[in-house]
Amino acid sequence: MPLVPYALTRPFLFGLDPEQAHDLTLGALARIQHTPLICAVSQTRVDDPVTIAGIRFPNRVGLAAGLDKNGRCIDAFGAMGFGFVEVGTVTPKAQPGNPKPRMFRLPEANALINRLGFNNEGLAVFIANVKRSRFRQQGGVLGLNIGKNAATPIERAVDDYLIGLDGVYPHADYVTVNISSPNTKNLRELQSDEALDALLAALQDRRLTLASQHGRKVPMFVKIAPDLEDTQVQVIAATIRKNGIDGVIATNTTIARDKVKHLPHGEETGGLSGAPVLEASNRVITLLRAALGREVPIIGVGGVMSGADARAKIAAGADLVQLYTGFIYKGPALVPEAASAIKKGR
C-alpha cells in the first residue's frame, strides 16, 4: 500500500477546481517519480501476465489515455502497479484546448465531464518525455495515443495521424488511434464507414513502411465511442478486420446525459466518464466481441470503479481493462484491487 493513503489527500484535491487538482497532482508526481519519494505512492504490481497482440502484459489493468496527455508521469503511474500505461492524446502541434472551465466533477454519480479538447504540448515535447521514462525497461507496457489538431480540417485529418504515427512508432509498445473524443469538432465523423476505411488504410500502409525501417511491427489499436448504434459497431468491426488493425479500445467518454442530467453540472458540454458509462461501454464491448471473434483484442475502459466492475469488463469480452475516472475517485488502491479481481475471477 502507498505510504500516503489516498483517503487523506482526496478531500484536499476535491476542494480544488478539478483541472487545478489535476495539474497539481501531475506536477507533484513528475517531481517525485525519479526520487526516493516515489515510495509515497508505490504499490506492488499484481503478477498476472498475459500475451495480447504479441505483447506480454504483466497484468490486465492499465491507465487510460487522457490522464497524462504529455507523458510527464509515466514512471510514477507505473510505480502504482499498472501492467500498462497509455499516455496522450498527443497532436502534432501544441494546442491549448478548449476554453476554461472545462472539467467538472459529479461526485453523486462517481463521474466527470470534460471538454479539454486534446490540450497538450505537442509531439516533440511528448516524445522527449517518453524517452526519459524507464517504465518499459522495468517490464511495463507503454501505449502512445495519437490524435489530430483542432485547427486541421477534418478532410486533412489523415495527415495529422500519419505525423503522429511516424513520431511515436519507435517509442511505443502499441499505438492508439483516437477517433472518438467528443471534444474536437467533427472528430467522431472519422468513425463513419468510408472515412474510417480511408484513415486505417493510410495508417496501415505507413505502418508497413515503419516496421521495415525499425525492424519491428508495433500493434495499432483504434479507440471508439460508446454512443454507437449496433450497426455502426458492426461496420467498425468489419473495417478493422479489413485493414488488419490489431485491436480496439472500447470506449471513450459519452455525450449521453440521461443518468446525470438531474445533477449539478450534469448538462455541461463534453464527454461524460465514470460509473454512468459502464453499461454503455460494456454493451459496445459485447457487440465488438461477437463481431470480431476471439482473435482481435479488446481493451475495455469506461466506468470501472471496483474490482467487480473490472471483472464485468472481462465478462463482456474485454481482454484488458483501463482505469481513468475510477482512479481519480478511488485512488491508486483501485489498481491492485482490479488486477487481483480479474486474476481471481478467471
Side-chain angles (χ1 to χ4, degrees), residues 226 258-259 274-286 302-303 313 316:
D258 52 303
K259 295 185 178 181
V277 188
L278 181 67
E279 184 179 339
S281 169
N282 288 359
R283 178 189 70 88
V284 172
I285 291 168
T286 300
K313 279 270 184 281

Side-chain angles (χ1 to χ4, degrees), residues 267-296:
E267 298 198 64
E268 289 283 353
T269 302
L272 172 69
S273 60
V277 188
L278 181 67
E279 184 179 339
S281 169
N282 288 359
R283 178 189 70 88
V284 172
I285 291 168
T286 300
L287 290 169
L288 279 171
R289 179 53 71 212
L292 293 170
R294 287 304 319 174
E295 62 270 23
V296 179

Side-chain angles (χ1 to χ4, degrees), residues 98-327:
N98 294 319
K100 299 179 181 180
R102 54 193 183 178
M103 185 182 289
F104 307 90
R105 296 189 196 94
L106 288 72
E108 302 92 335
N110 282 324
L112 297 171
I113 291 175
N114 91 81
R115 50 173 180 263
L116 291 166
F118 291 171
N119 54 309
N120 73 102
E121 296 178 334
L123 190 58
V125 170
F126 180 82
I127 292 171
N129 289 339
V130 167
K131 289 170 72 173
R132 279 192 292 269
S133 67
R134 306 166 187 171
F135 180 58
R136 294 176 74 198
Q137 287 74 27
Q138 296 166 348
V141 172
L142 183 61
L144 304 182
N145 185 303
I146 59 175
K148 85 167 194 73
N149 279 109
T152 302
I154 196 67
E155 58 271 15
R156 299 295 302 274
V158 173
D159 297 345
D160 277 12
Y161 284 101
L162 291 175
I163 292 169
L165 183 62
D166 286 345
V168 304
Y169 192 95
H171 314 291
D173 290 308
Y174 70 87
V175 176
T176 298
V177 181
N178 187 351
I179 55 171
S180 51
S181 170
N183 300 319
T184 296
K185 185 179 179 181
N186 299 327
L187 185 72
R188 288 190 171 190
E189 292 179 10
L190 295 174
Q191 296 178 124
S192 65
D193 188 2
E194 292 183 4
L196 182 61
D197 190 34
L199 173 63
L200 296 186
L203 286 168
Q204 180 68 304
D205 185 62
R206 180 63 59 86
R207 182 171 64 158
L208 292 172
T209 301
L210 290 167
S212 177
Q213 289 176 358
H214 296 282
R216 68 185 186 108
K217 180 185 176 184
V218 176
M220 191 159 54
F221 294 78
V222 176
K223 188 167 187 176
I224 66 172
D227 310 304
L228 295 165
E229 300 293 338
D230 291 12
T231 52
Q232 291 176 294
V233 176
Q234 302 293 334
V235 168
I236 288 171
T239 307
I240 284 168
R241 277 186 170 281
K242 175 185 174 184
N243 287 285
I245 302 303
D246 299 279
V248 192
I249 300 182
T251 63
N252 213 315
T253 57
T254 181
I255 58 174
R257 293 292 184 271
D258 52 303
K259 295 185 178 181
V260 300
K261 60 186 178 183
H262 61 290
L263 297 175
H265 301 301
E267 298 198 64
E268 289 283 353
T269 302
L272 172 69
S273 60
V277 188
L278 181 67
E279 184 179 339
S281 169
N282 288 359
R283 178 189 70 88
V284 172
I285 291 168
T286 300
L287 290 169
L288 279 171
R289 179 53 71 212
L292 293 170
R294 287 304 319 174
E295 62 270 23
V296 179
I298 298 172
I299 300 178
V301 55
V304 176
M305 314 299 292
S306 66
D309 292 338
R311 284 200 308 270
K313 279 270 184 281
I314 301 297
D319 299 286
L320 305 166
V321 171
Q322 288 180 330
L323 310 178
Y324 187 119
T325 303
F327 180 75

